[in-house]
């Protein structure tokens, strides 16, 4: 279903024109308006889901295939040194548009893109209960 207040619903379904890199019956891949690097694209499902938790299994199972197909072609054309496939859920994770999308961010040696964290230390006490609780839900 589409959300009439959602800009990515409008772009994905062609109601707002966009520079489209790829389209099929379920997805539109467009160029990011404020690219992190040359060639930065985003994959938009045509059905509204605010985030990964809301995404239907059908779309979830298809979206990585699109990432592979379009990402591989991008890397071939750009001759870039790497590619980040990134998807943010929630403000704390950097999400700014609340229609699920997957970033395809080409990477170049010595580029200015920063995606990273300081490696921490695993906490076995936490992991014992965390793993059990998650397994119980699954
Ligand atoms: P987020 O931070 O939610 O993971 O990513 C949102 C992305 O969408 C950002 O990289 C931003 O530049 C891009 N974006 C936001 N509005 C538009 C738009 O109207 N058109 C396009 N092409 N990209 C957009
Ligand atoms: Zn939407």
């Amino acid at each position: 279903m589409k959300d009439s207040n959602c800009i990515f619903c409008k772009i994905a379904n062609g109601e707002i024109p966009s520079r489209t890199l790829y389209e099929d019956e379920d997805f539109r891949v467009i160029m990011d308006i404020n690219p992190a690097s040359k060639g930065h694209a985003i994959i938009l499902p045509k059905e509204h889901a605010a985030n990964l938790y809301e995404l239907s299994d059908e779309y979830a199972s298809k979206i990585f295939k699109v990432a592979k197909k379009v990402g591989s072609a991008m890397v071939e054309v750009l001759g870039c040194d790497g590619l980040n496939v990134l998807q943010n859920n929630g403000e704390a994770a950097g999400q700014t548009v609340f229609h699920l999308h997957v970033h395809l961010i080409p990477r170049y040696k010595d580029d200015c893109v920063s995606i990273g964290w300081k490696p921490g230390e695993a906490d076995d006490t936490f992991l014992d209960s965390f793993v059990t609780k998650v397994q119980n839900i699954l």
Side-chain angles (χ1 to χ4, degrees):
M1 227 172 49
K2 285 187 273 170
D3 176 339
S4 56
N5 295 315
C6 172
I7 184 159
F8 277 8
C9 275
K10 293 194 171 89
I11 294 174
N13 290 283
E15 289 163 40
I16 295 176
S18 63
R19 198 182 282 276
T20 296
L21 195 55
Y22 171 80
E23 184 184 5
D24 63 24
E25 62 174 353
D26 299 309
F27 299 97
R28 183 185 295 270
V29 182
I30 62 168
M31 302 315 296
D32 196 288
I33 203 168
N34 292 128
S37 66
K38 197 181 278 286
H40 181 175
I42 43 181
I43 306 172
L44 313 181
K46 292 186 176 179
E47 187 176 275
H48 183 81
N51 49 44
L52 185 64
Y53 334 122
E54 284 188 7
L55 190 67
S56 67
D57 283 352
E58 190 198 336
Y59 274 81
S61 68
K62 288 178 177 170
I63 200 161
F64 223 69
K65 271 176 103 169
V66 176
K68 177 185 167 180
K69 186 185 178 93
V70 179
S72 303
M74 285 169 56
V75 169
E76 192 177 323
V77 169
L78 292 165
C80 53
D81 303 305
L83 179 77
N84 285 119
V85 179
L86 183 71
Q87 194 271 311
N88 300 326
N89 298 286
E91 257 179 66
Q95 186 175 13
T96 57
V97 179
F98 294 88
H99 174 123
L100 176 134
H101 49 281
V102 171
H103 293 266
L104 300 172
I105 305 177
R107 298 300 303 271
Y108 305 88
K109 280 193 186 95
D110 304 321
D111 66 26
C112 296
V113 180
S114 117
I115 300 163
W117 56 87
K118 186 165 144 273
E121 276 189 27
D123 172 348
D124 280 328
T125 314
F126 162 75
L127 289 176
D128 285 344
S129 81
F130 171 72
V131 169
T132 307
K133 282 178 185 165
V134 172
Q135 285 174 345
N136 285 342
I137 291 174
L138 300 177

